[in-house]
């Protein structure tokens, strides 16, 4: 199983970025894939998640209304569209896969066994 993130970068506050998580090594119809982030000196935080069963999604309160998670099964890729970015969104963003379930409800970082290498998102004020 391999997860490769891309799309991070430097953006001004109020701007947008789209992160991609390209997945390989497993059947892309049986998963929960989450986005997590970790800022310097802070604990890792769950940002969003999507499950393959019905496309059900989860968002942290801090990103609701600004971030949108989606999946393209034909491309084996999960996206995180981030709009109205704030300096507090600055972090390394990771995607992770839980291949034991097809939903996000009740899942936390400990349930995700496979992780990408991360992509840096920096939002300047």
């Amino acid at each position: 199983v391999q997860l490769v993130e891309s799309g991070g970068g430097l953006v001004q506050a109020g701007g947008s970025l789209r992160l991609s998580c390209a997945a390989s090594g497993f059947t892309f119809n049986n998963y929960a894939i989450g986005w997590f982030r970790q800022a310097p000196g802070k604990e890792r935080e769950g940002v969003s998640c999507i499950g393959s069963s019905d496309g059900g999604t989860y968002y942290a309160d801090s990103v609701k209304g600004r971030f949108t998670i989606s999946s393209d099964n034909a491309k084996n890729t999960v996206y995180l569209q981030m709009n109205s970015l704030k300096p507090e969104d600055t972090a390394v963003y990771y995607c992770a896969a839980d291949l034991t379930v097809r939903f996000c409800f009740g899942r936390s970082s400990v349930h995700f066994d496979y992780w990408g290498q991360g992509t840096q998102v920096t939002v300047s004020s």
Side-chain angles (χ1 to χ4, degrees):
V1 174
Q2 187 174 22
L3 303 171
V4 180
E5 303 98 333
S6 61
L10 173 64
V11 64
Q12 289 188 334
S16 298
L17 285 173
R18 188 177 79 159
L19 304 184
S20 299
C21 174
S24 60
F26 63 96
T27 302
F28 204 72
N29 62 0
N30 188 37
Y31 63 82
I33 291 182
W35 284 98
F36 298 82
R37 66 186 182 187
Q38 188 164 21
K42 294 187 176 181
E43 293 188 354
R44 185 169 55 194
E45 173 190 17
V47 175
S48 185
C49 177
I50 188 166
S52 63
S53 61
D54 58 0
T57 58
Y58 157 85
Y59 296 96
D61 288 342
S62 57
V63 306
K64 279 181 182 176
R66 300 188 298 121
F67 291 11
T68 303
I69 192 170
S70 63
S71 64
D72 185 336
N73 289 351
K75 296 183 178 181
N76 286 15
T77 300
V78 170
Y79 302 99
L80 185 68
Q81 178 67 45
M82 306 187 297
N83 299 328
S84 302
L85 283 161
K86 304 175 181 180
E88 51 263 45
D89 294 318
T90 295
V92 177
Y93 284 71
Y94 301 90
C95 68
D98 178 352
L99 304 185
T100 65
V101 296
R102 299 171 66 198
F103 53 85
C104 296
F105 181 77
R107 312 311 280 176
S108 67
S109 62
V110 298
H111 297 110
F112 289 81
D113 294 323
Y114 304 97
W115 292 77
Q117 82 288 351
T119 185
Q120 176 71 46
V121 171
T122 303
V123 184
S124 63
S125 57

